[in-house]
Amino acid sequence: MPMTLSAFLEGQSDLPQSLKTLIAAMADTCAVIGRTVNLSAVNDLQGALEQENVQGEVQKQLDVIANDIMLEEARWKGVVRGLASEEMDDYVAFDKGDYLLFFDPIDGSSNVDVNGVVGTIFSVLPAPQGDLSLSDFLRPGRDQVAAGYAAYGPQTLLVLTVGKGVVAFTPDADGVWIQTKTAMTVPASTREFAINMSNHRHWFPGIQRYIDECVAGKDGPRGADFNMRWLASMVGDVHRILTRGGIFMYPGDTKRAEGKLRLMYEANPIGFLIEQAGGKATNGTTRILDLQPTGLHQRTGVVLGSAEEVERVAEYLNG
């Protein structure tokens, strides 16, 4: 018999029941968002709105719809005390619950209109007792108790860690989540990189050096040919790395020294997954999970994936 998500969670004897309930609810919610994405063209839900989110980015219709789905308190069955979203200025507090839930409702939403891979990223931290304040949410990524993402592409996937490796699930014809990966591992070395090459002129010298050496191939100092991939969807690029290795880079640069990706909603949960799969995740030089957040929408540079290449980038940036 195939392992279902329910059976997998029940087999985690050291996990609190409330965390199991939250993860099951997260899977159900991602299934709803996935169906909404799949039907977005038929239901005229594609395209942008005439409004921006807190980061000043133009919101897509699906950004707002998926965010509203995530905000439905009934989904969380009393186990989520507070929510924070990339799409909202402030956090939302509920009356009771053991956990704080951070999420990017639609990662890579610009890909929706061209039928590219998009996803939902989430991060779970313990909630304190008593009334919530902003400081309760500003916790480093190492405090996470679970994280994952759903990818909506040729297959719908749920990739998950509860701090004991990385596993993946896919819904069957009846919508039951079936385990399809038991131990996702990032190889230590790679010959594949993912980066937005159009930013080359803005990169710091260490990043330029690393990429130029990769592009030089066999004739360059690395003595090996590299492939480049770039989906403009962190979920899609990270899933490829978790499946076959590679390095994903969205570094800080001269245009935006602090970086572009959100620490709480993207870098922390993905960093947790990558480390649990044996890779490394940094802001270029410092471990992502050790960064102390200073705001809900703090940005960071991101360099993650195969350990040897992440270490090489840090060496070049520190040099």
Side-chain angles (χ1 to χ4, degrees):
M1 289 289 292
M3 174 74 77
T4 65
L5 176 60
S6 295
F8 171 82
L9 292 173
E10 285 307 311
Q12 307 301 308
S13 58
D14 56 337
L15 288 190
Q17 184 57 48
S18 56
L19 183 55
K20 297 177 184 180
T21 299
L22 191 164
I23 293 170
M26 189 74 229
D28 291 343
T29 303
C30 288
V32 172
I33 294 174
R35 288 194 295 272
T36 304
V37 170
N38 292 155
L39 296 172
S40 60
V42 173
N43 292 330
D44 194 25
L45 299 178
Q46 297 188 353
L49 298 170
E50 293 183 0
Q51 64 187 49
E52 297 178 344
N53 63 17
V54 64
Q55 289 90 22
E57 299 164 336
V58 175
Q59 290 180 305
K60 301 288 187 178
Q61 290 191 70
L62 282 172
D63 288 324
V64 175
I65 292 168
N67 193 72
D68 288 345
I69 290 170
M70 294 285 287
L71 289 178
E72 295 172 7
E73 184 176 2
R75 293 189 178 279
W76 308 116
K77 304 173 183 177
V79 298
V80 172
R81 180 72 177 85
L83 297 169
S85 168
E86 179 179 316
E87 300 298 330
M88 301 188 305
D89 291 9
D90 206 352
Y91 63 85
V92 173
F94 296 144
D95 291 336
K96 60 181 179 178
D98 296 328
Y99 299 99
L100 304 177
L101 178 62
F102 298 79
F103 57 90
D104 179 354
I106 298 286
D107 172 71
S109 57
S110 62
N111 281 346
V112 170
D113 297 351
V114 297
N115 202 30
V117 175
V118 298
T120 300
I121 306 174
F122 63 93
S123 168
V124 182
L125 286 90
Q129 299 296 315
D131 294 337
L132 292 179
S133 65
L134 177 60
S135 62
D136 296 321
F137 286 81
L138 302 182
R139 308 264 290 282
R142 62 176 177 268
D143 291 349
Q144 293 172 105
V145 295
Y149 61 80
Y152 314 121
Q155 307 166 51
T156 294
L157 297 166
L158 179 70
V159 178
L160 172 71
T161 184
V162 291
K164 295 183 289 184
V166 180
V167 292
F169 301 85
T170 305
D172 65 12
D174 298 318
V176 177
W177 292 96
I178 303 297
Q179 188 170 3
T180 49
K181 297 285 186 182
T182 56
M184 302 183 78
T185 303
V186 178
S189 61
T190 185
R191 292 294 180 263
E192 193 165 277
F193 65 94
I195 196 167
N196 186 345
M197 287 292 291
S198 69
N199 289 324
H200 186 283
R201 67 193 184 281
H202 301 299
W203 294 335
F204 295 125
I207 300 295
Q208 289 182 340
R209 176 187 173 187
Y210 176 81
I211 295 299
D212 290 347
E213 288 183 356
C214 292
V215 172
K218 288 183 179 178
D219 298 327
R222 301 293 303 273
D225 289 332
F226 284 73
N227 290 323
M228 192 193 87
R229 299 288 185 268
W230 183 251
L231 297 179
S233 162
M234 190 180 191
V235 161
D237 282 313
V238 166
H239 189 72
R240 184 182 61 253
I241 288 169
L242 282 170
T243 302
R244 69 185 193 203
I247 183 170
F248 171 89
M249 305 172 68
Y250 212 129
D253 56 28
T254 60
K255 185 172 61 174
R256 194 194 293 267
E258 72 276 18
K260 185 176 181 181
L261 298 182
R262 267 61 58 158
L263 176 61
M264 309 300 289
Y265 312 109
E266 296 167 314
N268 272 343
I270 297 299
F272 190 19
L273 286 163
I274 290 292
E275 286 196 2
Q276 285 294 312
K280 289 196 171 184
T282 74
N283 66 357
T285 57
T286 303
R287 182 187 182 218
I288 289 286
L289 301 190
D290 285 339
L291 298 177
Q292 175 59 51
T294 57
L296 284 177
H297 299 287
Q298 180 176 340
R299 295 178 186 262
T300 183
V302 171
V303 177
L304 56 78
S306 295
E308 291 179 5
E309 297 304 306
V310 174
E311 291 168 357
R312 182 182 291 270
V313 172
E315 176 187 337
Y316 288 5
L317 286 169
N318 284 324

